Amino acid sequence: MIREARDEDWPGIWPIVHDVVTEQETFPYDPAMSERDARRAWLLAPPARVVVALDGDRVTGTANMYANRPGPGSHVASGSLMVAKEARGTGVGRALATDLIAWARRSGFAAIQFNAVVEVNVAAIRLYESLGFVTLGTAPGAFRHPSAGDVGLRIMWLDLR
């Protein structure tokens, strides 16, 4: 089940954000990010939207979604998705991505742009491509992966028109 995140969901969201950020494999966030900074960065105020994926009462994933840029870029959506370690490969990411796409359509966005999909995050790339995203380009060596070294960051795009 996907629903809007509430303040009381943060204790379930924080371990997911912390794990993903400290793994340093899929998100270009500072691994030393404090919980306070993570909360401020993740729980965005409206008109942005933040959701949680739930298995019963347990938070298994989270996503935030927003206009990619202000002003002349505000017709393009963006977002970030994170899935708990124990829930990876179970469809949580697909549910979150599908929800993000539905939100962007309902909100009247012309497209969705993911700005920094780590090139070796094959599961995310396959998921996004299966939902119609294409890679517009890759910034070579823009991400320092802990085991693969410097790898590219993809810009991925889904046209909603």
Side-chain angles (χ1 to χ4, degrees):
M1 177 178 125
I2 307 287
R3 69 157 168 76
E4 305 283 326
R6 304 174 188 142
D7 285 338
E8 59 266 22
D9 292 321
W10 181 250
I13 295 170
W14 167 238
I16 297 169
V17 173
H18 182 263
D19 285 349
V20 169
V21 171
T22 58
E23 287 169 354
Q24 300 180 59
E25 294 184 3
T26 57
F27 267 79
Y29 289 5
D30 182 355
M33 173 185 279
S34 70
E35 180 177 355
R36 182 177 172 205
D37 289 343
R39 183 180 180 126
R40 189 175 24 246
W42 196 261
L43 297 181
L44 303 173
R49 179 172 179 252
V50 182
V51 299
V52 290
L54 299 171
D55 181 5
D57 291 336
R58 189 172 54 99
V59 177
T60 57
T62 183
N64 60 26
M65 47 206 84
Y66 44 84
N68 191 43
R69 296 285 179 252
S74 64
H75 63 296
V76 175
S78 191
S80 297
L81 296 78
M82 293 187 182
V83 177
K85 282 182 190 179
E86 67 277 2
R88 294 177 190 163
T90 66
V92 173
R94 178 171 295 278
L96 290 167
T98 301
D99 181 78
L100 186 153
I101 293 166
W103 169 82
R105 282 197 166 106
R106 281 192 316 273
S107 300
F109 286 99
I112 301 170
Q113 178 177 317
F114 291 148
N115 301 309
V117 181
V118 177
E119 187 173 51
V120 295
N121 188 355
V122 176
I125 292 167
R126 283 187 187 144
L127 168 62
Y128 301 150
E129 288 176 342
S130 77
L131 294 171
F133 283 83
V134 296
T135 297
L136 298 179
T138 303
F143 184 85
R144 289 207 167 130
H145 190 277
S147 60
D150 291 352
V151 299
L153 285 177
R154 291 182 181 213
I155 298 170
M156 297 192 77
W157 179 266
L158 177 65
D159 196 317
L160 299 175
R161 292 174 271 184

